[in-house]
Amino acid sequence: MSTKHLEELLAVEHELEIRRKELAETQRECGLLREQRRQLIQSLEGQLDLFRDQINLSEQLLKEVRHG
Protein backbone atom coordinates (compact mmCIF):
# COMPACT_ATOMS: atom_id res chain seq x y z
CA MET A 1 0.00 0.00 0.00
CA SER A 2 1.38 3.37 -0.94
CA THR A 3 1.88 6.23 1.49
CA LYS A 4 -0.91 8.15 -0.24
CA HIS A 5 -3.37 5.29 0.25
CA LEU A 6 -2.34 4.93 3.86
CA GLU A 7 -2.89 8.65 4.46
CA GLU A 8 -6.32 8.45 2.81
CA LEU A 9 -7.23 5.45 4.92
CA LEU A 10 -6.15 7.23 8.11
CA ALA A 11 -8.15 10.31 7.08
CA VAL A 12 -11.26 8.18 6.49
CA GLU A 13 -10.81 6.39 9.81
CA HIS A 14 -10.44 9.75 11.56
CA GLU A 15 -13.62 11.03 9.88
CA LEU A 16 -15.42 7.85 10.90
CA GLU A 17 -14.38 8.34 14.52
CA ILE A 18 -15.67 11.92 14.45
CA ARG A 19 -19.01 10.74 13.02
CA ARG A 20 -19.28 8.01 15.67
CA LYS A 21 -18.79 10.60 18.41
CA GLU A 22 -21.41 12.84 16.81
CA LEU A 23 -23.81 9.90 16.61
CA ALA A 24 -23.26 9.03 20.27
CA GLU A 25 -23.94 12.66 21.28
CA THR A 26 -27.07 12.80 19.13
CA GLN A 27 -28.32 9.55 20.66
CA ARG A 28 -27.69 10.94 24.15
CA GLU A 29 -29.59 14.13 23.32
CA CYS A 30 -32.47 12.09 21.89
CA GLY A 31 -32.65 10.10 25.10
CA LEU A 32 -32.83 13.30 27.14
CA LEU A 33 -35.56 14.68 24.87
CA ARG A 34 -37.54 11.44 25.17
CA GLU A 35 -37.37 11.68 28.95
CA GLN A 36 -38.49 15.31 28.86
CA ARG A 37 -41.39 14.36 26.58
CA ARG A 38 -42.39 11.55 28.92
CA GLN A 39 -42.38 13.92 31.90
CA LEU A 40 -44.42 16.52 30.03
CA ILE A 41 -46.98 13.92 29.00
CA GLN A 42 -47.29 12.73 32.60
CA SER A 43 -47.75 16.31 33.77
CA LEU A 44 -50.41 16.99 31.14
CA GLU A 45 -52.23 13.77 32.02
CA GLY A 46 -52.25 14.82 35.66
CA GLN A 47 -53.62 18.24 34.78
CA LEU A 48 -56.27 16.65 32.58
CA ASP A 49 -57.33 14.38 35.44
CA LEU A 50 -57.67 17.39 37.74
CA PHE A 51 -59.68 19.23 35.09
CA ARG A 52 -62.02 16.26 34.69
CA ASP A 53 -62.46 16.05 38.44
CA GLN A 54 -63.40 19.73 38.53
CA ILE A 55 -65.93 19.25 35.72
CA ASN A 56 -67.48 16.29 37.53
CA LEU A 57 -67.69 18.27 40.76
CA SER A 58 -69.25 21.22 38.95
CA GLU A 59 -71.81 18.94 37.31
CA GLN A 60 -72.71 17.40 40.69
CA LEU A 61 -73.12 20.83 42.26
CA LEU A 62 -75.33 21.98 39.41
CA LYS A 63 -77.53 18.88 39.79
CA GLU A 64 -77.86 19.54 43.51
CA VAL A 65 -78.76 23.17 42.95
CA ARG A 66 -81.33 22.32 40.27
CA HIS A 67 -82.92 19.52 42.29
CA GLY A 68 -82.29 20.93 45.73
Side-chain angles (χ1 to χ4, degrees), residues 9-46:
L9 180 58
L10 290 173
V12 169
E13 287 177 347
H14 178 70
E15 185 69 24
L16 180 58
E17 183 61 30
I18 290 171
R19 297 293 177 235
R20 284 183 177 143
K21 288 178 181 177
E22 289 174 351
L23 176 60
E25 178 62 19
T26 300
Q27 288 173 329
R28 186 188 71 77
E29 291 173 1
C30 285
L32 293 172
L33 289 171
R34 279 190 211 99
E35 179 59 23
Q36 286 179 344
R37 181 186 68 186
R38 186 190 65 76
Q39 290 174 359
L40 286 170
I41 288 171
Q42 278 186 327
S43 175
L44 288 171
E45 288 172 341

Side-chain angles (χ1 to χ4, degrees), residues 1 11-12 14 17 23-24 31 37 41 44 47 49-52 54-58 60 63-64 66-67:
M1 186 181 304
V12 169
H14 178 70
E17 183 61 30
L23 176 60
R37 181 186 68 186
I41 288 171
L44 288 171
Q47 291 177 24
D49 288 342
L50 290 173
F51 180 71
R52 287 179 177 150
Q54 287 294 320
I55 289 176
N56 289 335
L57 180 60
S58 297
Q60 289 174 358
K63 287 178 184 177
E64 290 175 14
R66 289 181 184 153
H67 296 96

